[in-house]
């Protein structure tokens, strides 16, 4: 009996030492952020497995690349890349790209072509017209806007040209990203085509149907934010057949 008591006491002491020696860390508090889409400002930015340099590098993203921002942890953002990599990056090298009209990265074109597209573009586009599919997609988008009490978007003929070029570029160069190897970011591309705006954004989709694309956009907070942004009043839409997705769709938005 005495032997059993001694063994029990030793086990208790061992348990006490083990528990007492455990290292405990509190979970880092995270903050919500007031935007969804961010843009990389560094030439190359490490994506880490956690919010700090002590965590391993799990990937690299590059300047003008877009990321989805979920939360802020100290000086780090928790993000998702275009390749579905989820990790943490320094807040120093990510800026707001959600077209909120705050001018953080939307006013990249300060106006070499100011007020050149002031008409409502309800007539025929002299750059090749709007296809039946492009008109249908615009109506599907406007249905969503009207459901939220917003005004319809109307085609801008010059922006239409840009959206078509981007859709063709996505298929021809077999990539799926806002950042084009040919034209750069959507804002760089608009600038190179002479588009002036106060605020701007872009949605892209790969889908076999137009309704499927709109449903996917509306189920994504960043894409839905563009569709329901009351600051936008003009749009350009490009739709190109794709052997990979069925169709590739590009919708560009601007507000004047």
């Amino acid at each position: 009996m005495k032997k059993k008591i001694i063994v029990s006491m030793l086990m208790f002491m061992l348990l006490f030492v083990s528990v007492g020696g455990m290292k405990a860390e509190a979970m880092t508090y995270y903050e919500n952020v007031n935007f969804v889409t961010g843009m990389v400002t560094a030439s190359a930015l490490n994506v880490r497995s956690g919010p700090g340099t002590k965590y391993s590098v799990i990937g690299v993203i590059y300047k003008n690349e877009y990321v989805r921002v979920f939360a802020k942890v100290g000086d780090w953002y928790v993000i998702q890349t275009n390749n579905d990599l989820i990790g943490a990056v320094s807040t120093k090298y990510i800026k707001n790209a959600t077209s909120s009209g705050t001018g953080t990265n939307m006013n990249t074109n300060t106006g070499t072509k100011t007020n050149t597209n002031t008409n409502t573009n309800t007539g025929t586009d002299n750059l090749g017209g709007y296809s039946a599919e492009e008109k249908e997609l615009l109506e599907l988008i406007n249905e969503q806007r009207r459901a939220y009490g917003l005004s319809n978007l109307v085609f801008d003929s010059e922006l239409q040209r840009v959206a078509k070029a981007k859709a063709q570029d996505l298929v021809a160069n077999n990539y799926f990203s806002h950042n084009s190897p040919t034209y750069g970011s959507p804002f760089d591309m608009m600038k190179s085509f002479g588009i002036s705006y106060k605020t701007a954004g872009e949605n892209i989709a790969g889908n076999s149907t137009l309704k499927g694309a709109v449903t996917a956009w509306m189920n994504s907070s960043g894409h839905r934010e563009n569709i329901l942004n009351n600051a936008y009043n003009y749009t350009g839409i490009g739709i190109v057949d794709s052997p990979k997705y069925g169709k590739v769709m590009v919708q560009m938005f601007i507000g004047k």
Side-chain angles (χ1 to χ4, degrees):
M1 181 69 178
K2 185 175 181 181
K3 185 177 180 181
K4 287 184 179 180
I5 294 173
I6 293 172
V7 171
S8 298
M9 289 179 64
L10 288 172
M11 289 179 66
F12 177 79
M13 290 176 66
L14 180 62
L15 179 62
F16 180 81
V17 171
S18 297
V19 172
M22 284 196 304
K23 182 180 180 181
E25 289 187 12
M27 183 181 292
T28 305
Y29 180 74
Y30 76 89
E31 305 172 45
N32 292 325
V33 292
N34 61 359
F35 64 96
V36 175
T37 305
M39 178 187 284
V40 180
T41 60
S43 298
L45 180 60
N46 288 332
V47 181
R48 295 184 178 272
S49 60
T53 54
K54 67 180 180 180
Y55 293 94
S56 60
V57 176
I58 58 175
V60 181
I61 48 181
Y62 299 95
K63 189 170 185 178
N64 294 330
E65 193 169 331
Y66 288 83
V67 296
R68 179 169 294 178
V69 181
F70 295 110
K72 184 174 181 284
V73 181
D75 295 327
W76 297 77
Y77 286 135
V78 180
I79 60 98
Q80 178 183 18
T81 70
N82 285 327
N83 296 324
D84 286 333
L85 178 67
I86 295 178
V89 295
S90 171
T91 58
K92 295 178 182 178
Y93 307 109
I94 298 291
K95 66 179 180 179
N96 184 346
T98 54
S99 308
S100 62
T102 58
T104 55
N105 74 337
M106 299 306 158
N107 297 325
T108 54
N109 182 0
T110 54
T112 57
K113 191 181 178 184
T114 306
N115 296 326
T116 55
N117 293 319
T118 54
N119 66 331
T120 58
N121 294 300
T122 55
T124 302
D125 176 14
N126 60 6
L127 298 172
Y130 313 107
S131 72
E133 284 187 323
E134 289 158 358
K135 291 178 181 178
E136 182 182 350
L137 183 56
L138 176 59
E139 178 54 27
L140 291 171
I141 293 296
N142 280 334
E143 283 179 7
Q144 298 295 331
R145 288 176 63 89
R146 290 194 297 268
Y148 286 83
L150 303 175
S151 60
N152 287 341
L153 297 173
V154 295
F155 278 122
D156 180 286
S157 60
E158 293 297 323
L159 191 61
Q160 182 73 6
R161 180 184 174 198
V162 184
K164 286 184 175 182
K166 178 63 175 285
Q168 291 166 355
D169 186 55
L170 284 167
V171 174
N173 290 298
N174 192 30
Y175 73 98
F176 192 79
S177 171
H178 291 289
N179 199 45
S180 163
T182 308
Y183 301 104
S185 75
F187 315 107
D188 292 333
M189 188 176 182
M190 290 180 198
K191 183 176 181 179
S192 69
F193 276 76
I195 304 297
S196 61
Y197 56 84
K198 292 179 180 177
T199 184
E202 177 187 74
N203 282 351
I204 59 176
N207 205 295
S208 58
T209 68
L210 305 185
K211 288 185 178 180
V214 174
T215 298
W217 281 342
M218 291 301 292
N219 286 333
S220 166
S221 58
H223 296 90
R224 183 173 64 250
E225 184 177 324
N226 275 337
I227 290 171
L228 301 180
N229 192 329
N230 198 34
Y232 296 144
N233 46 14
Y234 294 96
T235 190
I237 294 174
I239 301 176
V240 176
D241 289 336
S242 163
K244 189 173 183 179
Y245 301 105
K247 299 180 188 298
V248 161
M249 287 154 264
V250 175
Q251 181 169 20
M252 291 183 166
F253 308 83
I254 59 172
K256 296 184 179 182

